[in-house]
Each structure stands twice: as C-alpha cells, then as structure tokens.
Amino acid sequence: MKSLLSFTKKEFMEHFRSAKIIILTGVFILFAIINPMIAKFTPVIIEMLSESMQGGMEITAGEVTAMDSWLQFIKNAPMALIVFMLLESSIFTKEYQKGTLVLTLTKGLKRHTVLISKTFVMLTLWTAEYFMCYGLTYLFNNILWDNTVAENLTFMALNWWILGVMAICLSVLFSVIAKNNILVLAGTGGVILGSYLIGSLPKIGDYMPTLLMNSNPVIYGLEEVSHYIPAIIIAVSISVISVIVSVPIFNKKHI
Amino acid sequence: MDMLKIENLKKRFGDKEVLKELSLTVPEKSIFGFIGKNGAGKTTTMKTILGLMKPDEGEIFVNGEKVVFGQTSTNQYIGYLPDVPEYYSFMSPTEYLHFCGEITGLSKAERTKRADELLELVGLKGETHRIKGFSRGMKQRLGIAQALLNKPKLLICDEPTSALDPVGRKEILDILMAVKNETTVLFSTHILSDVEKICTDIAFLNEGTVAIQGKIGDIKSTYRTDEYIIETETEKELRVLTSAFTHLNQTGRTMLKFKENQHSLFEVMNFITDKKLPVLKIERVEPTLESMFMEVVKK
Ligand SMILES: Nc1ncnc2c1ncn2[C@@H]1O[C@H](COP(=O)(O)OP(=O)(O)OP(=O)(O)O)[C@@H](O)[C@H]1O
Ligand SMILES: [Mg+2]
C-alpha cells in the first residue's frame, strides 16, 4: 500500500514537472470556452455570409440556446479524449524505452503496483479534467442562456466519461503488450473504431460502447436513459477485464 | 552459505548460443569479479539473475531462493547497478533515493539516514540539481547509492568502472571496498587491474561457460610456475652470472629469468652472496590475471 502511494506520488510529480498537467488543463479549459463560443457565433457568421451574398437567399438562423452549446460539447468530446490519449499513451512505454522501470522493479516493487498506480493516475486525471470541462461549460451556458432546455445533462456527461474510462483501460492493456506508444494508440483507437463501425449496424449497435458517444437524443428527451444501460454495462466490463488481464501479462513482460 | 548459485544456465539469441551451461557460485561476503571480454555474456547473465531475462535452461538461486522470470521475490535481496543506469531524471538525487526507500518500505527516519549516509559515501551530498544534467560518473555513483539503499545481501554491478576516468574508477573501487563487510559484491568487468585491486574471488567467462572460478589466491597458486627474475645493477654482474649458469635467459638489459628445474634458486643466491654481486631484485614470478586470461581465451 505504501509503495503504491509513493509510486503514485512519483507519477504526479512527473506530470507536474513535465508540464503535462498544465497542458491538459489548458486544453480542457479551451474546450469549455469553445463550446458556448461556437454556439453563440455560428448564427452571426451565417448572417454575415448571407448578407455578403447580395440578392442571395434569406437565411434566418434560429434562436441560439444552451442546447446548441451542449451539442457542441458532445461533438468536441472526441477531440478532448484524443488529446488526452495522445499525452498519456506513453505513460508505460516511455519507461520501457528509457529503462527507468529496471531499477524500480529490481528493487522489489511489485509489477501490479506499477500497473494499478498508472491506471489510477490516468483515471484520476481524466475524471478531474473532464468534469472541470463539463462544469465550466455548464457555468458559461447558465450565464449566457438557460441550461434547463436540455434534459439528462448529468447522464450525458457520465456517458462520455465512461467511454473515456474504457479507452484508458484499453490503453493499459495495449501498453503491457506493446513496446511503443504508437501501437498503444493504434490498438486503443482500433478497438473504438471497430465498435463504432459495428455500431452502425441495426440492433447490435445498441450494445456497442460507442453508443455512449451519441447522447443527443437523451438531452432532447427523445430517448430513455435505460436505452444506454446495456452499452454502459459492456463498456464497464471491457474496462475491468482489460485491467485484470493486463496484470499477468505485465508480470511476464520483458522490461 | 552461497549467496548466489547458477546451475547450467543456457541462453541463445536466434542461432547465437550466448550462454552454454554456465554454472557459477558466489560465496557470502566475497567481492566477486566476473570477467569476460565484450560480448561474452556478462550482462545477459546478470539480467537473468534479476529475472529481467528468461533463460532457455538452467536455474538460479539467490540466498537459497529460486529466481523466476518477471515478477520475482528474490529481487528483495539484491541491489542492482545496470551497465547504463536510468533514473527518473526529473528528480534530484535526494528525491530519487527517498522514492527508492519508500518503495522498498524503509521508514522515514531510516530513509533520511540512509540517503544522507550514501550521498556522503558517493560524494553527491548537497547536490540539489535534477539528475537530468548529471555526468556519467555522477550517474554511476548515484547508481551505487541507490543499489545499496536497502542494505542488500547481494550487490550486483554491471561494469561499474568501464565508462569512467582513472579518478572516477578509483572512487568506485574504494566504495566497493568500503561496503564489503555489509554485503556480497558481484561485479562484471574487463578491466583486470580493477579485479586485482579488490576481488577475493573471480570467474572467467569465455565462450559461454565459466572457464576458471575460485578464490583469487587459489587460482594464482595453480597457475604459479617456479620461475624467477633477477635484476642486476649493471651489465657486468649479468655477464658474471650468465657465464656461471648456462640456463639463465636474458630478458632485458639487466634482467635474467630462470626456472627452478634449470637451476636451484638457492644455488644462484649462494653464488651472488659469495661473489658479492650487487643486485636490484630477486623475485618469484607471479602469474598475472592478464596472462591467465590470455591463456584461457586462447585455449
Ligand atoms: N536482446 C538481444 N538480442 C539479440 N542478441 C543479444 C541480445 N542481448 C545480447 N545479445 C548478444 O549476446 C551476446 C552477449 O551480450 P552481453 O551484453 O551479455 O555481453 P557482455 O559480456 O555484457 O558484453 P560487454 O562487455 O560489451 O558489456 C552479444 O553477442 C550480444 O550481441
Ligand atoms: Mg555488458
């Protein structure tokens, strides 16, 4: 337990000293600002364009509400997750490449401690950064408009968070198999892309974790929350299994 | 008891057989020199001891416990300094040692005490810069400090002196000498003078097997020949000697060499005393590690 704590302390120290935390926080704040901004200015831009097209057709943009900003949130969430994965995908492989785990592990530190610690650090960062972004978007929307037009906002937010958790757990599995972070990204991305493609098929699509990417119907109140439960259960199962399977593989990995 | 026992270790990379039935025994409290030329398989052997590499065949016991590949509990007895040690370079040496102390379960008081002692021992006391900017010598010295932190029963150093200048080398050797009462030391090298200076036991690794191993004194006595050297003051005395003893070989301007079975040493010494010949030295030839190593490698 104590060794888990000190290894985790080392991970956070590394994140702070390498400025990763600052970059992540900056990016997630930026997303929180961009969501309402795009919603607010899209009609203005459209109007300007239609005016410049002399004698052109009349485009009347509908009134902007918080709903537009939340749709942007759902649309931009993949970018946020991609940035997160790009920054964190080397959390294991950098240690393999540099050889820094050799001394740590030959000191008798249990390999599963390393694995649990790194998984925990990524999940913590994802949770903190993601909900900060959600919270800020919520705040800006409330200032500019009224959040009550959208339904099930917390549920929508949880959906995307769960998908992020699954991506992180998959990246752990690929990190104990692969030697470099390109393979980690390719593996994780591949599984999610696969799920997305299968998700476009009828029926089976409802069971794919990538269903969680599309929460638009929920916030319009057009879809029941229960519709997402199977996909959530599957995403959580994939996450748990990925981490559990990683332990024995990591125990026999060439470091 | 033996601190380390390797039995019939085999390892091949592709079609290259690097270790062929390597067996080795390191007794407790020895400073064990593991000698072999470049590519002999020293690093491979050491990595296998630490469970970092999987042998094709053979078994290893550390402190009586069997080593398994990957996660192995035997590492708790070992302090390891790899050939190129890599640290978390965003830390200062003190931070790094505290981190190492924490993961091995030392208490805070112990950690602080050990870190201070060891940084003093390796001459990095008061070094507050991050490891990032360290020279090789500094990294090597920090490597010894981290390896000794939790008072390991077995200290394994992979070529700790190879990359260093003479001053750096002497510092490392002094440190190894200083810890010999606390731990067993196994270190690999191809610098024979280092071995000569500090080792109690040696093993020559050649072509994947251990060619010779044992106490350095025992090995030397088996290789010792009854050969003597006489150095005279001038060439005049040398000529007096060579005319009296036919089998004296001249090996230098004032140097002579002979074997006990050619002339008795005391006969020659008697002659020198009788004639009151001034000589600089009379010496029995000691086999050097170098000559032994060459002989082994040649075979
Ligand atoms: N991972 C590997 N894959 C293929 N061959 C390897 C590998 N590791 C080592 N070898 C080969 O095994 C042989 C022994 O290497 P090793 O590093 O053990 O030698 P060494 O005695 O430590 O040499 P040096 O004095 O140069 O450090 C070399 O010929 C090397 O090419
Ligand atoms: Mg080597």
Side-chain angles (χ1 to χ4, degrees):
Chain A
M1 193 59 208
K2 213 170 143 198
S3 54
L4 178 66
L5 216 66
S6 47
F7 195 83
T8 307
K9 203 170 84 189
K10 168 248 154 192
E11 286 294 328
F12 278 114
M13 186 195 263
E14 188 165 16
H15 273 82
F16 274 106
R17 293 197 177 167
S18 68
K20 258 190 194 165
I21 294 248
I22 296 170
I23 297 170
L24 273 178
T25 309
V27 168
F28 277 72
I29 289 177
L30 192 70
F31 276 116
I33 296 170
I34 280 177
N35 296 332
M37 279 251 283
I38 295 180
K40 188 148 184 71
F41 292 112
T42 309
V44 180
I45 293 164
I46 291 175
E47 222 159 277
M48 273 177 4
L49 284 175
S50 66
E51 267 164 32
S52 67
M53 289 188 286
Q54 285 177 358
M57 53 179 170
E58 186 81 355
I59 301 170
T60 45
E63 200 199 333
V64 178
T65 68
M67 190 62 92
D68 298 279
S69 174
W70 284 118
L71 292 178
Q72 280 302 319
F73 180 88
I74 293 172
K75 213 167 161 184
N76 289 332
M79 271 313 291
L81 181 59
I82 288 172
V83 170
F84 184 88
M85 293 308 295
L86 280 177
L87 279 171
E88 294 297 329
S89 60
S90 57
I91 191 167
F92 283 84
T93 53
K94 194 181 56 211
E95 295 225 32
Y96 307 152
Q97 275 154 7
K98 281 199 185 163
T100 40
L101 273 183
V102 169
L103 288 181
T104 320
L105 294 179
T106 53
K107 288 230 140 37
L109 183 70
K110 299 269 190 308
R111 292 186 181 213
H112 66 247
T113 306
V114 173
L115 190 120
I116 293 167
S117 170
K118 285 183 184 283
T119 312
F120 170 78
V121 168
M122 281 196 282
L123 290 178
T124 306
L125 285 175
W126 168 245
T127 307
E129 299 286 353
Y130 174 80
F131 283 109
M132 176 199 69
C133 181
Y134 172 78
L136 286 176
T137 307
Y138 193 93
L139 185 72
F140 296 146
N141 288 357
N142 238 3
I143 293 168
L144 293 167
W145 308 286
D146 179 10
N147 275 321
T148 53
V149 298
E151 291 180 38
N152 301 315
L153 277 181
T154 321
F155 183 74
M156 177 279 290
L158 278 175
N159 275 356
W160 247 110
W161 176 75
I162 291 168
L163 200 75
V165 168
M166 188 187 83
I168 288 166
C169 294
L170 280 170
S171 83
V172 171
L173 176 61
F174 286 108
S175 292
V176 300
I177 298 170
K179 279 203 156 59
N180 64 54
N181 73 318
I182 305 293
L183 290 174
V184 174
L185 286 169
T188 311
V191 170
I192 290 176
L193 186 70
S195 154
Y196 185 77
L197 293 177
I198 297 172
S200 59
L201 302 171
K203 284 219 173 104
I204 193 170
D206 285 352
Y207 297 92
M208 288 291 119
T210 37
L211 181 72
L212 303 178
M213 289 172 130
N214 182 12
S215 298
N216 299 13
V218 208
I219 59 171
Y220 277 118
L222 299 174
E223 189 77 82
E224 286 296 314
V225 165
S226 59
H227 177 66
Y228 290 79
I229 300 297
I232 290 178
I233 291 172
I234 287 174
V236 172
S237 309
I238 290 177
S239 310
V240 174
I241 291 169
S242 296
V243 175
I244 291 174
V245 168
S246 300
V247 174
I249 300 177
F250 195 44
N251 274 347
K252 290 292 170 198
K253 189 176 177 67
H254 267 280
I255 296 293
Chain B
M1 204 190 75
D2 296 326
M3 187 42 70
L4 171 71
K5 198 169 174 62
I6 302 180
E7 288 170 354
N8 298 323
L9 202 64
K10 286 190 191 173
K11 178 78 188 172
R12 54 165 62 238
F13 293 107
D15 59 353
K16 189 163 181 205
E17 203 172 13
V18 176
L19 303 178
K20 307 169 196 164
E21 305 239 336
L22 182 144
S23 296
L24 188 72
T25 309
V26 177
E28 211 169 352
K29 296 281 143 73
S30 56
I31 300 186
F32 199 103
F34 190 40
I35 308 159
K37 54 186 180 187
N38 288 125
K42 304 182 292 293
T43 302
T44 307
T45 309
M46 290 184 156
K47 282 187 173 167
T48 319
I49 299 170
L50 286 143
L52 295 170
M53 204 172 255
K54 194 179 176 138
D56 299 333
E57 271 176 57
E59 292 187 329
I60 301 175
F61 298 89
V62 174
N63 198 29
E65 267 180 54
K66 191 167 183 287
V67 175
V68 294
F69 168 67
Q71 172 66 42
T72 177
S73 60
T74 43
N75 280 352
Q76 63 183 310
Y77 306 117
I78 304 178
Y80 174 47
L81 172 61
D83 43 359
V84 187
E86 291 294 344
Y87 313 97
Y88 296 118
S89 56
F90 54 87
M91 292 183 183
S92 72
T94 314
E95 284 171 339
Y96 190 77
L97 290 187
H98 274 268
F99 164 73
C100 293
E102 280 175 26
I103 61 174
T104 51
L106 295 182
S107 71
K108 191 169 165 73
E110 261 177 305
R111 269 190 335 252
T112 314
K113 183 168 161 284
R114 282 301 278 168
D116 286 353
E117 273 171 16
L118 288 166
L119 288 175
E120 172 96 61
L121 176 73
V122 302
L124 287 174
K125 203 181 169 150
E127 182 60 62
T128 52
H129 292 103
R130 297 200 183 155
I131 301 169
K132 206 178 289 174
F134 275 23
S135 70
R136 281 181 96 158
M138 288 164 92
K139 282 189 181 169
Q140 211 66 253
R141 280 182 283 147
L142 176 59
I144 292 202
Q146 62 80 28
L148 287 170
L149 191 68
N150 56 340
K151 304 201 168 165
K153 285 177 185 284
L154 175 62
L155 176 67
I156 297 183
C157 302
D158 195 354
E159 304 208 20
T161 57
S162 294
L164 306 179
D165 65 25
V167 179
R169 267 172 51 199
K170 184 172 181 319
E171 284 170 356
I172 298 284
L173 294 180
D174 288 347
I175 294 168
L176 293 182
M177 275 299 271
V179 299
K180 70 161 193 273
N181 293 324
E182 293 159 31
T183 176
T184 308
V185 180
L186 169 67
F187 82 102
S188 71
T189 186
H190 51 240
I191 303 171
L192 295 163
S193 58
D194 289 356
V195 176
E196 204 107 39
K197 268 184 212 130
I198 67 167
C199 288
T200 59
D201 294 65
I202 54 167
F204 279 122
L205 184 63
N206 186 49
E207 306 203 327
T209 53
V210 170
I212 315 174
Q213 101 163 276
K215 297 251 163 276
I216 206 162
D218 296 349
I219 292 175
K220 278 198 170 173
S221 65
T222 52
Y223 275 77
R224 190 171 285 131
T225 52
D226 290 326
E227 219 173 1
Y228 300 93
I229 289 175
I230 301 174
E231 187 175 359
T232 57
E233 204 171 84
T234 67
E235 286 157 80
K236 206 179 94 209
E237 292 91 38
L238 184 135
R239 277 194 297 275
V240 176
L241 278 166
T242 43
S243 53
F245 299 94
T246 46
H247 290 294
L248 291 182
N249 287 324
Q250 191 172 354
T251 56
R253 198 173 56 86
T254 55
M255 297 280 267
L256 288 167
K257 210 173 181 180
F258 68 98
K259 289 213 171 105
E260 179 70 25
N261 57 12
Q262 294 166 323
H263 300 289
S264 148
L265 172 69
F266 296 117
E267 218 178 288
V268 179
M269 282 168 79
N270 266 336
F271 181 81
I272 292 168
T273 327
D274 280 351
K275 296 275 184 289
K276 295 199 163 55
L277 293 177
V279 292
L280 292 181
K281 71 176 180 199
I282 301 175
E283 188 182 275
R284 185 160 175 184
V285 177
E286 272 288 304
T288 60
L289 284 176
E290 178 143 7
S291 64
M292 282 153 51
F293 185 54
M294 286 310 176
E295 201 166 314
V296 169
V297 171
K298 224 168 37 208
K299 266 199 292 217

